[in-house]
């Protein structure tokens, strides 16, 4: 696929995508390997919603990620795997080796009865086998559901049950920094509640002692010995589901966002090549985890579709010391580096001595994703990592969008700290006011919507199409609503200001405040809780929980600990509140709704200017909360 190579070409392409979106995307799609071509490019209606791309087209995404590179690039390295411990051996996997390993494991899945359309859950650390298992699912047309390995047994069970997965793939354990986590034990706790799982396939990573249930649990290394390393890919329809990935919303349980094969494939490669301006011999590294959408699109699919060489890292940025990222950049001569603002801020706190120790001159492009990047972190990244000659691409997108929608194109679009800048060709953003009217012109602010479909957009919420319609397409009829607030400056550049709903973004992890509240409320002495986000120096947003305890609850410090443990058990340690304030009441309207706006202000340290409090049932509650705020 040819990439855009100048700003005037970007403008040209953007115009073409507006004038004739179908022709525009048909041209991009035609660079892939289809078993049979589509008969219609697009069918859409944001009311139902129905979104279909490349209708009638037949393909398998793994043929495009692997098989099509074999002839000319079979010996090219696909994955450069760097283990958690720098003293352990790294691993190189070429395209032809990856092809074999994917086919082999796909055969294992078939041996375990997996069929096209089945849901398969992956609960694994960042090891090459996670990529292999993901692609093996896609090879046989099974729908993968990757669950981030930091989630608790309860969260894992909820996700397995929501989509009735019949196979779970996991490991004995995992390494993260100086910690060793027994993933199989967590999986076992989850599986007690999962009736649909028939096989659990376990890759040996740590070699620790684990229990294996006969007839359910199987070792990866035993199973691959029983199969061949070749398998013709299953033919998929362009609109057959490729994967489900759970993400949080303002209410209810996490939603299983569904992406389908054809459109996702086209947009993953298109956005990867253009945003990062990927060149044939570049070394690319995205530090995300495959458990999140960034890992799906920009560790697995985008880079492999483009035939690139990527670094995959098992560990954490601060182990064995805070120079680890930069050491890896030097070791592999990384050209394109993609990380999250929270990681930049965390490393910034250790000063410049670590990056100074390493030769970072190979870097050309620095990416940022997951949350707004603050100006200070942007400049630090630019100066100390990019040596002021890299292009910083602040990429805005979401689990639901499947790929980057608003971002500079590296070294092409003028960058501006804290701005995601301009939409990619094919993307039609708009800002709307509270009445849902579109705000025209520049120098304006509103809620960010997208008014025309793009190939990798969400198709549905697995098992709940009505929820998909209500959450994304009903608030501003005729438009996809992102949940983000946004400014458009006088140059027409977009700056994402953060969520306008009850979703918080903690260290780039998206969480529903209701989800954290539900976790807290599981503690038997908690009567009610309200959770809000507040500005946090490293995490972007921290979690502030206001909690009402049962009367006469004593030993508040002990309770604080217990509540934290409850949240870790219910969700995972990423959802642990940073601050807990025990209160005797919460500010509620007469209809019983908690006024989070007020709680947010108090959490931010604001004690006056709380806005209109006249609708509160008991305004005195606020004075109490302010008096005791932390
Ligand atoms: O609020 C926006 C924020 O992350 C949300 C999406 O989270 P998730 O689905 O987990 O996907 C994260 C990785 C794509 C968005 O609604 N967000 C993401 N990227 C940016 C951002 N906020 C500001 N600037 C960004 N570059």
């Amino acid at each position: 696929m040819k990439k855009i190579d100048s700003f005037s070409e970007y403008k040209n392409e953007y115009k073409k995508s507006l004038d004739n979106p179908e022709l525009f995307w048909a041209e991009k799609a035609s660079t892939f390997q289809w078993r049979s071509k589509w008969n219609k490019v697009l069918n859409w209606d944001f009311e139902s919603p129905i979104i279909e791309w490349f209708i009638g087209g037949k393909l398998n995404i793994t043929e495009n990620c692997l098989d099509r590179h074999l002839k000319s690039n079979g010996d090219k390295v696909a994955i450069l795997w760097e283990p958690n411990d720098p003293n352990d051996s790294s691993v190189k996997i070429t395209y032809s080796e990856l092809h074999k390993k994917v086919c082999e494991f796909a055969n294992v899945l078939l041996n375990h009865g997996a069929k096209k359309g089945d849901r398969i859950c992956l609960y694994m650390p960042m090891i090459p086998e996670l990529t292999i298992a993901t692609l093996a699912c896609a090879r046989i047309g099974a729908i993968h559901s990757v669950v981030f390995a930091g989630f608790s047994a309860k969260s894992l069970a909820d996700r397995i049950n929501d989509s009735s997965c019949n196979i779970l793939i996991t490991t004995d354990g995992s390494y993260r920094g100086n910690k060793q986590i027994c993933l199989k034990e967590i999986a076992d706790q989850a599986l007690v509640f999962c009736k649909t799982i028939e096989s659990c396939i376990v890759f040996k990573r740590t070699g620790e002692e684990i229990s294996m249930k006969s007839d359910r649990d199987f070792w990866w290394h035993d199973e691959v010995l029983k199969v061949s390393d070749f398998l013709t890919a299953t033919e998929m329809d362009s609109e057959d589901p490729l994967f489900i990935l759970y993400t949080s919303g303002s209410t209810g349980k996490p939603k299983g966002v569904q992406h389908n094969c054809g459109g996702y494939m086209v947009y993953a490669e298109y956005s990867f090549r253009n945003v990062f301006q990927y060149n044939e011999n570049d070394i690319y590294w995205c530090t995300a985890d495959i458990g999140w959408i960034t890992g799906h699109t920009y560790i697995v699919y985008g880079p492999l579709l483009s035939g690139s060489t990527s670094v995959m890292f098992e560990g954490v940025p601060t182990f064995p010391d805070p120079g680890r990222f930069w050491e890896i950049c030097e070791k592999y001569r990384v050209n394109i580096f993609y990380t999250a603002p929270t990681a930049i801020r965390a490393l910034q706190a250790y000063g410049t001595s670590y990056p100074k120790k390493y030769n970072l001159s190979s870097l050309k492009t620095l990416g940022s994703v997951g949350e707004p990047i603050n100006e200070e972190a942007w400049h630090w990244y630019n100066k100390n990592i990019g040596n002021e000659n890299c292009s910083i691409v602040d990429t805005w997108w979401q689990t639901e969008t499947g790929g980057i929608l608003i971002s500079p194109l590296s070294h092409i679009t003028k960058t501006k700290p804290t701005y995601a800048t301009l939409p990619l060709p094919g993307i039609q953003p708009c800002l709307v006011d509270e009445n849902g009217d579109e705000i025209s012109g520049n120098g304006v602010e509103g809620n960010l919507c997208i008014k025309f479909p793009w190939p990798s957009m969400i198709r549905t919420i697995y098992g709940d199409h009505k929820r998909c319609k209500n959450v994304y397409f009903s608030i501003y009829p005729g438009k996809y609503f992102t949940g983000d607030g946004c400014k458009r400056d006088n140059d027409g550049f977009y700056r994402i200001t953060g969520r306008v709903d009850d979703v918080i973004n903690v260290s780039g992890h998206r969480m529903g405040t209701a989800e954290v509240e539900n976790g807290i409320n599981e503690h038997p002495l908690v009567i009610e809780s309200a959770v809000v986000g507040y500005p946090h120096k490293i995490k972007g947003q921290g979690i502030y929980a206001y909690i009402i305890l049962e009367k006469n609850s004593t030993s508040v410090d002990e309770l604080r600990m217990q509540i934290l443990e409850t949240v870790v058990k219910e969700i995972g340690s990423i959802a642990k509140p940073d601050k807990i304030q025990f209160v005797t009441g919460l500010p509620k309207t007469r209809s019983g709704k908690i006024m989070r706006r007020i709680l947010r202000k108090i959490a931010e340290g604001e004690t006056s200017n709380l806005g209109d409090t006249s609708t509160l049932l008991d305004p005195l509650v606020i004075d109490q909360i302010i008096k005791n705020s932390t």
Side-chain angles (χ1 to χ4, degrees), residues 46 430 432 436-438 449-451 472-481:
F46 275 178
C430 65
V432 295
D437 294 327
E438 198 174 325
C449 292
I450 317 283
K451 52 186 181 182
Y472 306 108
F473 298 94
S474 299
I475 301 171
Y476 301 114
K479 298 183 177 72
Y480 165 82
F481 176 44

Side-chain angles (χ1 to χ4, degrees), residues 581-585 619-629:
Q581 183 182 347
F582 294 118
V583 295
T584 49
L620 290 180
V621 164
I622 297 181
D623 299 335
Q624 281 279 341
I625 296 179
I626 293 176
K627 216 165 81 195
N628 300 319
S629 63

Side-chain angles (χ1 to χ4, degrees), residues 294 370-372 394-399 484 496 499 505 510:
T294 306
E371 53 175 314
D394 178 358
T395 63
W396 174 84
W397 59 299
Q398 313 178 292
T399 305
D484 280 322
I496 314 301
R499 301 288 304 197
N505 198 325
R510 175 169 160 184

Side-chain angles (χ1 to χ4, degrees), residues 257-269:
V257 171
Q258 183 184 310
H259 285 287
N260 292 356
C261 297
Y264 177 82
M265 172 179 79
V266 171
Y267 199 79
E269 183 179 343

Side-chain angles (χ1 to χ4, degrees), residues 165-187:
C165 296
N166 53 4
I167 297 179
L168 172 67
I169 307 164
T170 188
T171 61
D172 49 355
S174 68
Y175 298 117
R176 279 186 73 72
N178 48 23
K179 281 195 227 136
Q180 186 171 328
I181 302 141
C182 186
L183 282 190
K184 177 64 166 51
E185 200 178 294
I186 304 173

Side-chain angles (χ1 to χ4, degrees), residues 584-600:
T584 49
L586 291 166
K588 288 190 179 170
T589 60
R590 289 191 183 90
S591 58
K593 208 169 159 250
I594 297 173
M595 284 186 86
R596 279 165 207 286
R597 176 176 58 78
I598 294 177
L599 293 175
R600 251 189 310 252

Side-chain angles (χ1 to χ4, degrees), residues 341 344 366 368 371-383 388 390-395 408 413-422 487 489 491 493-497:
I344 301 167
L366 301 176
S368 170
E371 53 175 314
I373 179 165
N374 50 308
E375 193 135 7
E376 205 190 334
W378 195 100
H379 287 297
W380 189 85
Y381 199 27
N382 185 36
K383 186 160 179 252
E388 289 177 344
C390 287
S391 183
I392 298 193
V393 290
D394 178 358
T395 63
T413 315
K414 194 177 94 192
T415 59
K416 189 166 177 181
T418 77
Y419 279 77
T421 72
L422 296 171
K487 287 182 178 164
D489 75 358
D491 299 327
F493 277 24
Y494 290 85
R495 176 189 185 168
I496 314 301
T497 50

Side-chain angles (χ1 to χ4, degrees), residues 170-229:
T170 188
T171 61
D172 49 355
S174 68
Y175 298 117
R176 279 186 73 72
N178 48 23
K179 281 195 227 136
Q180 186 171 328
I181 302 141
C182 186
L183 282 190
K184 177 64 166 51
E185 200 178 294
I186 304 173
D188 283 339
Q189 288 162 12
L191 290 186
V192 173
F193 303 98
C194 302
K195 297 286 160 280
T196 53
I197 294 288
E198 288 158 13
S199 301
C200 173
I201 302 169
V202 186
F203 182 81
K204 189 180 274 189
R205 171 66 189 115
T206 56
E208 66 201 89
E209 190 78 15
I210 55 163
S211 71
M212 295 287 280
K213 191 172 171 199
S214 62
D215 298 335
R216 188 198 69 188
D217 299 346
F218 303 87
W219 284 109
W220 178 302
H221 57 256
D222 289 336
E223 296 308 288
V224 292
L225 295 178
K226 302 175 189 164
V227 295
S228 99
D229 61 7

